[in-house]
Amino acid sequence: MSWESQFQEQWVPLVDSVETHARRALAGRPLLDVAALDEILQREVAKWNRPSHYNGAWLAKLAGTHPEVAARFRATLGNLRAVRPLVPQIGNPWLRVALVVALVAAAFFIAWWQTDRLLVHVAAPLTAGIVFGSLVRARWQAARELAIDRAVGAFLADLDGVGRQLREAAAEADRMDDPEDRRLRA
């Protein structure tokens, strides 16, 4: 196997792990600050520095074969940092709350205007609040998920730039190898 393909087999799980941890961290928060995001990244990068981990063993093998490429690889990994927080851009929730309150008030006034029965005066706005509140909440959650997808997607695009640099380093190691070395390594 080539250095580049071996790198790719390791990079994809790293990106998936970072994405999963970022989404989990964003689940109950309005944003994920740079420090928390950087901690997630550094936890994954640390695996490349542990010889007992598959990523670290691969990098040590690369250093044994192509020390200059491995040094550039390590430097690029060392510069991997979060530069901006993950902030899902969601609209103002108060507009949605105001819409539900207005619809509940309208249901109350329509019930009050149509009949004198107290049960209808209570049931109509209560039913309207439950129905419209549920609909607005579902739309709000869908909008939040979409905003999280966009924020995480932008972060992963930044991460992909570093991945490209690392992939180029691995490809350079492939170009430096002769076919016999590649056959022995496979």
Side-chain angles (χ1 to χ4, degrees):
M1 282 180 81
S2 70
W3 290 108
E4 186 176 3
S5 64
Q6 288 176 358
F7 163 74
Q8 195 62 29
E9 286 177 2
Q10 297 170 64
W11 183 252
V12 170
L14 178 139
V15 171
D16 290 346
S17 178
V18 167
E19 178 182 6
T20 300
H21 285 94
R23 286 181 184 279
R24 282 184 190 155
L26 265 175
R29 302 182 196 173
L31 65 95
L32 190 58
D33 64 351
V34 174
L37 191 54
D38 200 42
E39 180 184 330
I40 292 169
L41 272 174
Q42 294 312 310
R43 200 174 321 131
E44 290 300 317
V45 168
K47 293 176 182 176
W48 293 82
N49 296 319
R50 269 186 260 143
S52 61
H53 193 274
Y54 180 75
N55 297 359
W58 178 86
L59 189 52
K61 188 175 168 184
L62 179 65
T65 310
H66 303 291
E68 65 284 344
V69 174
R72 198 171 88 214
F73 197 94
R74 279 192 174 104
T76 303
L77 274 177
N79 292 332
L80 184 58
R81 299 270 184 254
V83 293
R84 61 177 178 229
L86 280 183
V87 183
Q89 299 295 325
I90 308 172
N92 191 347
W94 296 111
L95 296 175
R96 290 173 171 89
V97 171
L99 176 66
V100 171
V101 169
L103 290 171
V104 168
F108 173 76
F109 285 116
I110 289 171
W112 179 71
W113 180 56
Q114 292 292 322
T115 184
D116 290 335
R117 298 179 68 187
L118 180 62
L119 182 63
V120 175
H121 289 184
V122 172
L126 185 63
T127 303
I130 291 170
V131 169
F132 294 126
S134 297
L135 290 174
V136 167
R137 181 182 169 128
R139 298 245 336 165
W140 174 257
Q141 288 175 338
R144 177 161 169 72
E145 285 300 315
L146 182 62
I148 287 173
D149 287 346
R150 287 183 182 147
V152 169
F155 171 69
L156 293 178
D158 293 344
L159 196 57
D160 191 46
V162 174
R164 230 174 293 128
Q165 291 174 357
L166 295 171
R167 195 174 314 113
E168 288 170 9
E172 182 181 334
D174 282 336
R175 287 189 297 273
M176 295 169 81
D177 279 349
D178 65 2
E180 183 64 23
D181 288 343
R182 213 173 294 140
R183 186 182 64 74
L184 292 174
R185 202 174 47 244

